[in-house]
Amino acid sequence: MDFKKLANQYKDELLNNVLPFWLQYSQDKEFGGYFTCLDREGKVFDTDKFIWLQGREVWMFSMLYNKVEKRQEWLDCAVQGGEFLKKYGHDGNYNWYFSLDRSGRPLVEPYNIFSYTFATMAFGQLSLATGNQEYADIARKTFDIILSKVDNPKGKWNKLHPGTRNLKNFALPMILCNLAMEIEHILGKDYLEQAIDTCIHEVMDVFYRPELGGIIVENVDVNGSLVDCFEGRQITPGHAIEAMWFIMDLGKRLHRPELIEKAKNTTLTMLEYGWDKEYGGIYYFMDRNGCPPQQLEWDQKLWWVHIETLISLLKGYQLTEDKRCLEWFEKVHDYTWAHFKDTEYPEWYGYLNRRGEVLLPLKGGKWKGCFHVPRGLYQCWNILKDL
């Protein structure tokens, strides 16, 4: 495997294809913030603004400015998005709405915790890029609110009846593993290590299930027990695999090789479990008992699932030299570039059917924005150039 050639492939795709697409088509020069609903060619097909995708784009261009190159157009893009978020994204007390209309009027209440997590990431990275203390304060205040909501992330907007089936979900502890490292410069080292211990325990002791062969489940009850219901049987291979590269980063940061090894092995287990043996690619949702999943899109192949898997496999190889990671990387790389990359227009497709055919030709929407593709390209480039 030619690591140098691969590194250049990922770098070139990031800098000359994907980033120019978002810079050119996503910025709302009139009202601020970003359009994320972009068709195959980059035309805007809906002007609503989703807070978590606004935050992700602020984070992306701030991070690239901080870590790749001090390009003024990247900083300008991040700052204008950050200012739009600061002005319109929350209710005045850093409760972050789910969505706004184009001009910034709230459409959906602050029920979604990921509006908060990506606002925190955005302002944490933007504060580093600009040196602006106000941005750091917004990140810190929002992070404190996230921690206060851990037991009931949706708050008063929770539609579940209390007390009957109290489940907790994998997504929040998973994202906190990444978020804590993202804002270490704001939290401080001691606070970080205390927060991280809790997150690692949740991900690797509660949701990781050795009795199921070492896979990760998406929901357990509040006592950490498995539950036999749609949510309790749900397996989301992409989520689990993405979380493993967060855990590997933490293992490296904390000098815990046994944690890295466990995360690498879990990546391989989840990939073997989630790979479609007939058509290739990774399933979106699965049921651990083989029952019909409740999500009708369960067998679709999604961009983020495959890109996050590439990161985890490369990190696994870089940190443990396990050759199985490279073998799987080659397989997933070939599938991903053959199916998700649009060879005629910039940026990548997001949604394929089970057979790997393009289901929706959009480049961005309510759930896909300027995040997984560029972050994945950056991460893979960064690892490959050092191999």
Side-chain angles (χ1 to χ4, degrees):
M1 197 178 288
D2 187 339
F3 295 130
K4 188 165 188 272
K5 186 180 170 189
L6 279 168
N8 287 332
Q9 180 180 344
Y10 281 87
K11 177 186 179 181
D12 179 67
E13 186 69 14
L14 173 67
L15 298 180
N16 300 320
N17 179 355
V18 171
L19 294 178
F21 174 89
W22 292 102
L23 281 170
Q24 181 175 350
Y25 298 117
S26 76
Q27 295 189 77
D28 184 345
K29 297 290 172 56
E30 190 178 343
F31 288 97
Y34 313 107
F35 301 118
T36 59
C37 297
L38 303 171
D39 72 8
R40 187 184 178 196
E41 297 174 37
K43 294 190 189 79
V44 178
F45 66 84
D46 196 285
T47 60
D48 287 352
K49 292 172 180 172
F50 307 96
I51 295 301
W52 70 319
L53 295 182
Q54 301 290 309
R56 283 173 158 190
E57 190 155 349
V58 172
W59 175 84
M60 179 58 62
F61 281 101
S62 303
M63 183 277 288
L64 293 168
Y65 179 82
N66 290 330
K67 294 188 175 175
V68 177
E69 193 182 323
K70 298 278 187 274
R71 289 196 194 180
Q72 192 61 42
E73 61 176 349
W74 292 353
L75 184 61
D76 292 345
C77 180
V79 169
Q80 71 85 3
E83 286 297 313
F84 180 83
L85 268 182
K86 183 180 85 174
K87 192 170 181 183
Y88 301 112
H90 57 91
D91 64 357
N93 294 308
Y94 303 110
N95 293 303
W96 297 86
Y97 297 115
F98 178 73
S99 60
L100 315 171
D101 71 5
R102 183 183 177 186
S103 66
R105 294 178 303 176
L107 293 171
V108 178
E109 295 284 12
Y111 81 95
N112 191 307
I113 196 69
F114 298 107
S115 297
Y116 295 72
T117 59
F118 288 105
T120 305
M121 274 176 68
F123 285 102
Q125 204 61 234
L126 193 57
S127 73
L128 277 180
T130 59
N132 185 330
Q133 184 58 40
E134 185 187 11
Y135 296 152
D137 293 343
I138 293 171
R140 179 61 200 246
K141 283 171 187 165
T142 304
F143 186 71
D144 288 340
I145 295 170
I146 293 168
L147 294 184
S148 75
K149 290 164 73 76
V150 164
D151 292 333
N152 183 14
K154 290 186 180 178
K156 64 184 178 183
W157 297 284
N158 194 336
K159 64 187 178 186
L160 298 178
H161 186 80
T164 308
R165 182 185 286 154
N166 291 330
L167 298 179
K168 59 180 179 177
N169 181 267
F170 176 68
L172 187 55
M174 161 201 160
I175 210 79
L176 288 174
C177 287
N178 184 232
L179 186 56
M181 283 189 75
E182 272 289 325
I183 59 167
E184 181 178 1
H185 62 286
I186 294 167
L187 297 177
K189 188 180 171 205
D190 293 346
Y191 192 95
L192 173 81
E193 289 182 0
Q194 178 191 334
I196 277 175
D197 277 346
T198 309
C199 297
I200 292 173
H201 166 70
E202 287 285 302
V203 170
M204 300 309 279
D205 297 327
V206 177
F207 291 93
Y208 171 85
R209 309 304 295 202
E211 74 272 33
L212 298 177
I215 61 171
I216 285 176
V217 298
E218 195 71 12
N219 298 284
V220 293
D221 76 13
V222 287
N223 302 314
S225 303
L226 294 171
V227 183
D228 188 6
C229 64
F230 275 124
E231 292 80 11
R233 294 190 304 269
Q234 181 182 325
I235 306 293
T236 316
H239 244 175
I241 293 169
E242 179 183 3
M244 290 308 101
W245 74 258
F246 300 164
I247 295 291
M248 286 185 234
D249 278 353
L250 290 173
K252 186 178 174 187
R253 165 76 178 70
L254 300 169
H255 308 293
R256 289 178 57 183
E258 82 291 344
L259 191 59
I260 294 170
E261 185 69 18
K262 187 175 179 182
K264 177 265 295 178
N265 287 336
T266 305
T267 296
L268 295 170
T269 300
M270 289 303 309
L271 187 46
E272 189 67 49
Y273 185 90
W275 187 259
D276 183 343
K277 310 289 190 289
E278 190 175 349
Y279 292 104
I282 303 161
Y283 288 116
Y284 191 11
F285 296 110
M286 300 175 79
D287 184 290
R288 63 182 169 84
N289 289 349
C291 302
Q294 68 173 327
Q295 296 89 355
L296 302 181
E297 69 275 25
W298 69 274
D299 65 348
Q300 288 179 20
K301 310 292 165 62
L302 268 71
W303 83 106
W304 69 265
V305 173
H306 294 75
I307 289 165
E308 297 300 331
T309 299
L310 291 172
I311 302 171
S312 288
L313 289 168
L314 280 180
K315 280 191 194 280
Y317 178 70
Q318 182 186 38
L319 296 169
T320 70
E321 296 184 352
D322 187 329
K323 291 283 196 295
R324 292 175 299 166
C325 292
L326 269 195
E327 288 161 16
W328 264 113
F329 173 78
E330 192 166 10
K331 194 170 175 177
V332 179
H333 165 92
D334 289 347
Y335 181 91
T336 302
W337 284 80
H339 292 84
F340 290 102
K341 178 173 164 57
D342 183 347
T343 55
E344 288 181 54
Y345 296 97
E347 244 288 345
W348 290 20
Y349 299 120
Y351 303 89
L352 313 175
N353 64 19
R354 185 180 172 192
R355 293 183 298 278
E357 299 155 345
V358 175
L359 200 54
L360 295 166
L362 58 79
K363 298 299 174 59
K366 186 175 180 177
W367 310 108
K368 182 180 188 288
C370 179
F371 188 64
H372 287 285
V373 174
R375 182 177 73 166
L377 294 169
Y378 165 76
Q379 284 280 346
C380 291
W381 161 37
N382 224 31
I383 299 166
L384 285 162
K385 69 182 173 56
D386 292 335
L387 287 178

mmCIF file of all heavy atoms in Angstrom, residues 291-326:
data_model
loop_
_atom_site.group_PDB
_atom_site.id
_atom_site.type_symbol
_atom_site.label_atom_id
_atom_site.label_comp_id
_atom_site.label_asym_id
_atom_site.label_seq_id
_atom_site.Cartn_x
_atom_site.Cartn_y
_atom_site.Cartn_z
ATOM 1 N N CYS A 291 -34.176 -9.509 14.361
ATOM 2 C CA CYS A 291 -35.572 -9.130 14.092
ATOM 3 C C CYS A 291 -35.586 -8.004 13.046
ATOM 4 O O CYS A 291 -34.570 -7.340 12.835
ATOM 5 C CB CYS A 291 -36.245 -8.630 15.372
ATOM 6 S SG CYS A 291 -36.226 -9.822 16.719
ATOM 7 N N PRO A 292 -36.736 -7.748 12.415
ATOM 8 C CA PRO A 292 -36.807 -6.605 11.492
ATOM 9 C C PRO A 292 -36.543 -5.300 12.246
ATOM 10 O O PRO A 292 -37.210 -5.025 13.244
ATOM 11 C CB PRO A 292 -38.251 -6.651 10.976
ATOM 12 C CG PRO A 292 -38.707 -8.054 11.214
ATOM 13 C CD PRO A 292 -37.990 -8.512 12.452
ATOM 14 N N PRO A 293 -35.568 -4.495 11.801
ATOM 15 C CA PRO A 293 -35.312 -3.219 12.491
ATOM 16 C C PRO A 293 -36.489 -2.262 12.311
ATOM 17 O O PRO A 293 -37.227 -2.349 11.316
ATOM 18 C CB PRO A 293 -34.062 -2.663 11.795
ATOM 19 C CG PRO A 293 -33.466 -3.818 11.058
ATOM 20 C CD PRO A 293 -34.611 -4.722 10.708
ATOM 21 N N GLN A 294 -36.678 -1.344 13.265
ATOM 22 C CA GLN A 294 -37.795 -0.401 13.133
ATOM 23 C C GLN A 294 -37.516 0.666 12.070
ATOM 24 O O GLN A 294 -38.440 1.220 11.485
ATOM 25 C CB GLN A 294 -38.109 0.261 14.475
ATOM 26 C CG GLN A 294 -37.038 1.202 15.006
ATOM 27 C CD GLN A 294 -37.496 1.951 16.246
ATOM 28 O OE1 GLN A 294 -38.671 2.272 16.400
ATOM 29 N NE2 GLN A 294 -36.564 2.236 17.146
ATOM 30 N N GLN A 295 -36.242 0.963 11.811
ATOM 31 C CA GLN A 295 -35.913 1.992 10.822
ATOM 32 C C GLN A 295 -36.043 1.401 9.415
ATOM 33 O O GLN A 295 -35.348 0.443 9.078
ATOM 34 C CB GLN A 295 -34.478 2.516 11.020
ATOM 35 C CG GLN A 295 -34.257 3.225 12.333
ATOM 36 C CD GLN A 295 -33.833 2.279 13.449
ATOM 37 O OE1 GLN A 295 -33.794 1.060 13.270
ATOM 38 N NE2 GLN A 295 -33.514 2.840 14.597
ATOM 39 N N LEU A 296 -36.892 2.003 8.601
ATOM 40 C CA LEU A 296 -37.119 1.476 7.257
ATOM 41 C C LEU A 296 -35.894 1.667 6.366
ATOM 42 O O LEU A 296 -35.745 0.988 5.353
ATOM 43 C CB LEU A 296 -38.340 2.160 6.622
ATOM 44 C CG LEU A 296 -39.648 2.021 7.415
ATOM 45 C CD1 LEU A 296 -40.788 2.709 6.687
ATOM 46 C CD2 LEU A 296 -39.983 0.551 7.679
ATOM 47 N N GLU A 297 -35.011 2.582 6.768
ATOM 48 C CA GLU A 297 -33.778 2.845 6.000
ATOM 49 C C GLU A 297 -32.605 2.005 6.497
ATOM 50 O O GLU A 297 -31.451 2.290 6.201
ATOM 51 C CB GLU A 297 -33.431 4.345 6.075
ATOM 52 C CG GLU A 297 -32.975 4.851 7.446
ATOM 53 C CD GLU A 297 -34.099 5.245 8.396
ATOM 54 O OE1 GLU A 297 -35.232 4.723 8.251
ATOM 55 O OE2 GLU A 297 -33.837 6.058 9.295
ATOM 56 N N TRP A 298 -32.910 0.936 7.226
ATOM 57 C CA TRP A 298 -31.872 0.166 7.918
ATOM 58 C C TRP A 298 -30.768 -0.348 6.998
ATOM 59 O O TRP A 298 -29.607 -0.441 7.401
ATOM 60 C CB TRP A 298 -32.518 -1.030 8.648
ATOM 61 C CG TRP A 298 -33.055 -2.079 7.724
ATOM 62 C CD1 TRP A 298 -34.291 -2.099 7.146
ATOM 63 C CD2 TRP A 298 -32.393 -3.257 7.255
ATOM 64 N NE1 TRP A 298 -34.437 -3.210 6.346
ATOM 65 C CE2 TRP A 298 -33.292 -3.943 6.392
ATOM 66 C CE3 TRP A 298 -31.125 -3.808 7.476
ATOM 67 C CZ2 TRP A 298 -32.963 -5.140 5.762
ATOM 68 C CZ3 TRP A 298 -30.793 -5.004 6.844
ATOM 69 C CH2 TRP A 298 -31.698 -5.652 6.007
ATOM 70 N N ASP A 299 -31.115 -0.680 5.737
ATOM 71 C CA ASP A 299 -30.115 -1.303 4.865
ATOM 72 C C ASP A 299 -29.447 -0.306 3.913
ATOM 73 O O ASP A 299 -28.694 -0.705 3.032
ATOM 74 C CB ASP A 299 -30.724 -2.464 4.077
ATOM 75 C CG ASP A 299 -31.806 -2.025 3.091
ATOM 76 O OD1 ASP A 299 -32.248 -0.856 3.170
ATOM 77 O OD2 ASP A 299 -32.203 -2.850 2.235
ATOM 78 N N GLN A 300 -29.726 0.996 4.099
ATOM 79 C CA GLN A 300 -29.045 1.995 3.271
ATOM 80 C C GLN A 300 -27.558 2.065 3.646
ATOM 81 O O GLN A 300 -27.167 1.713 4.761
ATOM 82 C CB GLN A 300 -29.683 3.379 3.449
ATOM 83 C CG GLN A 300 -31.048 3.508 2.809
ATOM 84 C CD GLN A 300 -31.655 4.887 3.021
ATOM 85 O OE1 GLN A 300 -30.961 5.863 3.320
ATOM 86 N NE2 GLN A 300 -32.974 4.974 2.869
ATOM 87 N N LYS A 301 -26.769 2.536 2.702
ATOM 88 C CA LYS A 301 -25.339 2.738 2.935
ATOM 89 C C LYS A 301 -25.104 4.245 3.001
ATOM 90 O O LYS A 301 -25.376 4.962 2.030
ATOM 91 C CB LYS A 301 -24.516 2.091 1.816
ATOM 92 C CG LYS A 301 -24.895 0.622 1.514
ATOM 93 C CD LYS A 301 -24.538 -0.327 2.644
ATOM 94 C CE LYS A 301 -25.207 -1.681 2.541
ATOM 95 N NZ LYS A 301 -24.874 -2.484 1.362
ATOM 96 N N LEU A 302 -24.612 4.729 4.138
ATOM 97 C CA LEU A 302 -24.462 6.166 4.353
ATOM 98 C C LEU A 302 -23.008 6.610 4.346
ATOM 99 O O LEU A 302 -22.126 5.887 4.818
ATOM 100 C CB LEU A 302 -25.121 6.590 5.676
ATOM 101 C CG LEU A 302 -26.585 7.043 5.517
ATOM 102 C CD1 LEU A 302 -27.489 5.861 5.193
ATOM 103 C CD2 LEU A 302 -27.076 7.747 6.770
ATOM 104 N N TRP A 303 -22.811 7.808 3.830
ATOM 105 C CA TRP A 303 -21.469 8.393 3.694
ATOM 106 C C TRP A 303 -20.702 8.405 5.013
ATOM 107 O O TRP A 303 -19.553 7.983 5.074
ATOM 108 C CB TRP A 303 -21.596 9.808 3.108
ATOM 109 C CG TRP A 303 -21.898 10.903 4.082
ATOM 110 C CD1 TRP A 303 -21.033 11.856 4.530
ATOM 111 C CD2 TRP A 303 -23.135 11.171 4.761
ATOM 112 N NE1 TRP A 303 -21.655 12.709 5.424
ATOM 113 C CE2 TRP A 303 -22.951 12.298 5.584
ATOM 114 C CE3 TRP A 303 -24.391 10.565 4.756
ATOM 115 C CZ2 TRP A 303 -23.950 12.830 6.387
ATOM 116 C CZ3 TRP A 303 -25.399 11.089 5.560
ATOM 117 C CH2 TRP A 303 -25.173 12.201 6.349
ATOM 118 N N TRP A 304 -21.334 8.902 6.075
ATOM 119 C CA TRP A 304 -20.590 9.119 7.320
ATOM 120 C C TRP A 304 -20.141 7.805 7.943
ATOM 121 O O TRP A 304 -19.052 7.735 8.532
ATOM 122 C CB TRP A 304 -21.401 9.963 8.311
ATOM 123 C CG TRP A 304 -22.609 9.315 8.912
ATOM 124 C CD1 TRP A 304 -23.892 9.404 8.479
ATOM 125 C CD2 TRP A 304 -22.644 8.484 10.088
ATOM 126 N NE1 TRP A 304 -24.729 8.676 9.290
ATOM 127 C CE2 TRP A 304 -23.995 8.117 10.284
ATOM 128 C CE3 TRP A 304 -21.679 8.028 10.986
ATOM 129 C CZ2 TRP A 304 -24.401 7.296 11.346
ATOM 130 C CZ3 TRP A 304 -22.080 7.214 12.048
ATOM 131 C CH2 TRP A 304 -23.421 6.853 12.223
ATOM 132 N N VAL A 305 -20.958 6.773 7.798
ATOM 133 C CA VAL A 305 -20.618 5.467 8.374
ATOM 134 C C VAL A 305 -19.293 4.962 7.784
ATOM 135 O O VAL A 305 -18.402 4.495 8.512
ATOM 136 C CB VAL A 305 -21.750 4.450 8.088
ATOM 137 C CG1 VAL A 305 -21.351 3.050 8.530
ATOM 138 C CG2 VAL A 305 -23.042 4.896 8.768
ATOM 139 N N HIS A 306 -19.142 5.109 6.474
ATOM 140 C CA HIS A 306 -17.956 4.580 5.798
ATOM 141 C C HIS A 306 -16.729 5.458 6.033
ATOM 142 O O HIS A 306 -15.619 4.953 6.226
ATOM 143 C CB HIS A 306 -18.263 4.407 4.307
ATOM 144 C CG HIS A 306 -19.304 3.359 4.066
ATOM 145 N ND1 HIS A 306 -20.651 3.573 4.318
ATOM 146 C CD2 HIS A 306 -19.194 2.063 3.658
ATOM 147 C CE1 HIS A 306 -21.315 2.462 4.062
ATOM 148 N NE2 HIS A 306 -20.460 1.534 3.658
ATOM 149 N N ILE A 307 -16.936 6.767 6.048
ATOM 150 C CA ILE A 307 -15.804 7.677 6.266
ATOM 151 C C ILE A 307 -15.272 7.548 7.688
ATOM 152 O O ILE A 307 -14.049 7.514 7.905
ATOM 153 C CB ILE A 307 -16.234 9.122 5.940
ATOM 154 C CG1 ILE A 307 -16.423 9.264 4.418
ATOM 155 C CG2 ILE A 307 -15.203 10.125 6.431
ATOM 156 C CD1 ILE A 307 -17.174 10.504 4.001
ATOM 157 N N GLU A 308 -16.167 7.447 8.660
ATOM 158 C CA GLU A 308 -15.713 7.283 10.060
ATOM 159 C C GLU A 308 -14.977 5.951 10.232
ATOM 160 O O GLU A 308 -14.026 5.845 11.001
ATOM 161 C CB GLU A 308 -16.905 7.365 11.016
ATOM 162 C CG GLU A 308 -17.626 8.696 11.026
ATOM 163 C CD GLU A 308 -16.737 9.858 11.429
ATOM 164 O OE1 GLU A 308 -15.780 9.660 12.205
ATOM 165 O OE2 GLU A 308 -16.987 10.981 10.954
ATOM 166 N N THR A 309 -15.423 4.942 9.492
ATOM 167 C CA THR A 309 -14.764 3.634 9.562
ATOM 168 C C THR A 309 -13.334 3.716 9.032
ATOM 169 O O THR A 309 -12.411 3.118 9.603
ATOM 170 C CB THR A 309 -15.583 2.592 8.778
ATOM 171 O OG1 THR A 309 -16.891 2.493 9.371
ATOM 172 C CG2 THR A 309 -14.922 1.228 8.796
ATOM 173 N N LEU A 310 -13.131 4.468 7.955
ATOM 174 C CA LEU A 310 -11.775 4.648 7.415
ATOM 175 C C LEU A 310 -10.847 5.264 8.466
ATOM 176 O O LEU A 310 -9.701 4.838 8.624
ATOM 177 C CB LEU A 310 -11.818 5.537 6.163
ATOM 178 C CG LEU A 310 -12.484 4.925 4.929
ATOM 179 C CD1 LEU A 310 -12.645 5.975 3.837
ATOM 180 C CD2 LEU A 310 -11.677 3.737 4.401
ATOM 181 N N ILE A 311 -11.364 6.246 9.204
ATOM 182 C CA ILE A 311 -10.545 6.889 10.253
ATOM 183 C C ILE A 311 -10.170 5.875 11.329
ATOM 184 O O ILE A 311 -9.002 5.759 11.720
ATOM 185 C CB ILE A 311 -11.296 8.074 10.905
ATOM 186 C CG1 ILE A 311 -11.694 9.126 9.875
ATOM 187 C CG2 ILE A 311 -10.437 8.713 12.003
ATOM 188 C CD1 ILE A 311 -12.633 10.214 10.420
ATOM 189 N N SER A 312 -11.162 5.132 11.802
ATOM 190 C CA SER A 312 -10.903 4.177 12.896
ATOM 191 C C SER A 312 -9.909 3.097 12.479
ATOM 192 O O SER A 312 -9.049 2.695 13.257
ATOM 193 C CB SER A 312 -12.211 3.533 13.363
ATOM 194 O OG SER A 312 -12.995 4.468 14.074
ATOM 195 N N LEU A 313 -10.014 2.627 11.242
ATOM 196 C CA LEU A 313 -9.096 1.585 10.760
ATOM 197 C C LEU A 313 -7.670 2.118 10.652
ATOM 198 O O LEU A 313 -6.713 1.434 11.031
ATOM 199 C CB LEU A 313 -9.575 1.054 9.411
ATOM 200 C CG LEU A 313 -10.854 0.204 9.470
ATOM 201 C CD1 LEU A 313 -11.415 -0.024 8.075
ATOM 202 C CD2 LEU A 313 -10.604 -1.132 10.175
ATOM 203 N N LEU A 314 -7.515 3.339 10.141
ATOM 204 C CA LEU A 314 -6.169 3.909 10.025
ATOM 205 C C LEU A 314 -5.563 4.186 11.392
ATOM 206 O O LEU A 314 -4.381 3.922 11.616
ATOM 207 C CB LEU A 314 -6.195 5.196 9.194
ATOM 208 C CG LEU A 314 -6.245 5.024 7.681
ATOM 209 C CD1 LEU A 314 -6.259 6.386 6.995
ATOM 210 C CD2 LEU A 314 -5.060 4.188 7.156
ATOM 211 N N LYS A 315 -6.365 4.705 12.305
ATOM 212 C CA LYS A 315 -5.851 4.943 13.663
ATOM 213 C C LYS A 315 -5.482 3.616 14.329
ATOM 214 O O LYS A 315 -4.459 3.507 14.999
ATOM 215 C CB LYS A 315 -6.880 5.690 14.518
ATOM 216 C CG LYS A 315 -6.903 7.193 14.261
ATOM 217 C CD LYS A 315 -7.731 7.926 15.298
ATOM 218 C CE LYS A 315 -8.027 9.347 14.865
ATOM 219 N NZ LYS A 315 -6.929 10.294 15.081
ATOM 220 N N GLY A 316 -6.340 2.615 14.114
ATOM 221 C CA GLY A 316 -6.059 1.293 14.686
ATOM 222 C C GLY A 316 -4.730 0.750 14.188
ATOM 223 O O GLY A 316 -3.938 0.208 14.970
ATOM 224 N N TYR A 317 -4.480 0.890 12.886
ATOM 225 C CA TYR A 317 -3.205 0.415 12.331
ATOM 226 C C TYR A 317 -2.040 1.260 12.829
ATOM 227 O O TYR A 317 -1.003 0.725 13.236
ATOM 228 C CB TYR A 317 -3.243 0.442 10.802
ATOM 229 C CG TYR A 317 -1.916 0.013 10.206
ATOM 230 C CD1 TYR A 317 -1.500 -1.314 10.287
ATOM 231 C CD2 TYR A 317 -1.049 0.940 9.615
ATOM 232 C CE1 TYR A 317 -0.274 -1.710 9.779
ATOM 233 C CE2 TYR A 317 0.182 0.548 9.113
ATOM 234 C CZ TYR A 317 0.567 -0.778 9.194
ATOM 235 O OH TYR A 317 1.795 -1.165 8.710
ATOM 236 N N GLN A 318 -2.219 2.568 12.830
ATOM 237 C CA GLN A 318 -1.136 3.468 13.259
ATOM 238 C C GLN A 318 -0.706 3.179 14.701
ATOM 239 O O GLN A 318 0.479 3.185 15.017
ATOM 240 C CB GLN A 318 -1.619 4.916 13.147
ATOM 241 C CG GLN A 318 -0.562 5.962 13.532
ATOM 242 C CD GLN A 318 -1.135 7.372 13.546
ATOM 243 O OE1 GLN A 318 -2.275 7.590 13.965
ATOM 244 N NE2 GLN A 318 -0.353 8.333 13.076
ATOM 245 N N LEU A 319 -1.682 2.889 15.556
ATOM 246 C CA LEU A 319 -1.398 2.754 16.994
ATOM 247 C C LEU A 319 -1.070 1.328 17.426
ATOM 248 O O LEU A 319 -0.464 1.124 18.470
ATOM 249 C CB LEU A 319 -2.579 3.283 17.807
ATOM 250 C CG LEU A 319 -2.861 4.794 17.646
ATOM 251 C CD1 LEU A 319 -4.195 5.169 18.270
ATOM 252 C CD2 LEU A 319 -1.730 5.626 18.264
ATOM 253 N N THR A 320 -1.475 0.316 16.635
ATOM 254 C CA THR A 320 -1.240 -1.075 17.067
ATOM 255 C C THR A 320 -0.508 -1.917 16.031
ATOM 256 O O THR A 320 -0.095 -3.031 16.332
ATOM 257 C CB THR A 320 -2.577 -1.789 17.380
ATOM 258 O OG1 THR A 320 -3.284 -2.007 16.145
ATOM 259 C CG2 THR A 320 -3.446 -0.973 18.330
ATOM 260 N N GLU A 321 -0.424 -1.429 14.802
ATOM 261 C CA GLU A 321 0.203 -2.149 13.684
ATOM 262 C C GLU A 321 -0.484 -3.474 13.369
ATOM 263 O O GLU A 321 0.129 -4.392 12.821
ATOM 264 C CB GLU A 321 1.710 -2.361 13.941
ATOM 265 C CG GLU A 321 2.479 -1.050 14.007
ATOM 266 C CD GLU A 321 3.981 -1.254 14.174
ATOM 267 O OE1 GLU A 321 4.409 -2.408 14.383
ATOM 268 O OE2 GLU A 321 4.705 -0.254 14.100
ATOM 269 N N ASP A 322 -1.766 -3.562 13.721
ATOM 270 C CA ASP A 322 -2.539 -4.772 13.403
ATOM 271 C C ASP A 322 -2.860 -4.752 11.907
ATOM 272 O O ASP A 322 -3.589 -3.884 11.415
ATOM 273 C CB ASP A 322 -3.831 -4.785 14.234
ATOM 274 C CG ASP A 322 -4.599 -6.099 14.091
ATOM 275 O OD1 ASP A 322 -4.526 -6.725 13.019
ATOM 276 O OD2 ASP A 322 -5.277 -6.487 15.068
ATOM 277 N N LYS A 323 -2.341 -5.749 11.186
ATOM 278 C CA LYS A 323 -2.486 -5.791 9.720
ATOM 279 C C LYS A 323 -3.944 -5.943 9.270
ATOM 280 O O LYS A 323 -4.309 -5.586 8.155
ATOM 281 C CB LYS A 323 -1.659 -6.956 9.144
ATOM 282 C CG LYS A 323 -0.143 -6.785 9.234
ATOM 283 C CD LYS A 323 0.367 -5.822 8.166
ATOM 284 C CE LYS A 323 1.878 -5.916 7.950
ATOM 285 N NZ LYS A 323 2.673 -5.502 9.100
ATOM 286 N N ARG A 324 -4.776 -6.482 10.156
ATOM 287 C CA ARG A 324 -6.188 -6.635 9.802
ATOM 288 C C ARG A 324 -6.838 -5.271 9.537
ATOM 289 O O ARG A 324 -7.732 -5.152 8.710
ATOM 290 C CB ARG A 324 -6.953 -7.362 10.920
ATOM 291 C CG ARG A 324 -6.559 -8.824 11.077
ATOM 292 C CD ARG A 324 -7.267 -9.443 12.275
ATOM 293 N NE ARG A 324 -6.910 -8.779 13.516
ATOM 294 C CZ ARG A 324 -7.567 -8.929 14.670
ATOM 295 N NH1 ARG A 324 -8.628 -9.718 14.734
ATOM 296 N NH2 ARG A 324 -7.169 -8.285 15.764
ATOM 297 N N CYS A 325 -6.361 -4.250 10.257
ATOM 298 C CA CYS A 325 -6.884 -2.896 10.042
ATOM 299 C C CYS A 325 -6.595 -2.427 8.616
ATOM 300 O O CYS A 325 -7.448 -1.806 7.970
ATOM 301 C CB CYS A 325 -6.276 -1.912 11.035
ATOM 302 S SG CYS A 325 -6.778 -2.180 12.738
ATOM 303 N N LEU A 326 -5.392 -2.735 8.121
ATOM 304 C CA LEU A 326 -5.020 -2.329 6.759
ATOM 305 C C LEU A 326 -5.824 -3.094 5.715
ATOM 306 O O LEU A 326 -6.238 -2.528 4.706
ATOM 307 C CB LEU A 326 -3.530 -2.576 6.508
ATOM 308 C CG LEU A 326 -2.543 -1.456 6.816
ATOM 309 C CD1 LEU A 326 -1.205 -1.762 6.172
ATOM 310 C CD2 LEU A 326 -3.047 -0.094 6.352
#
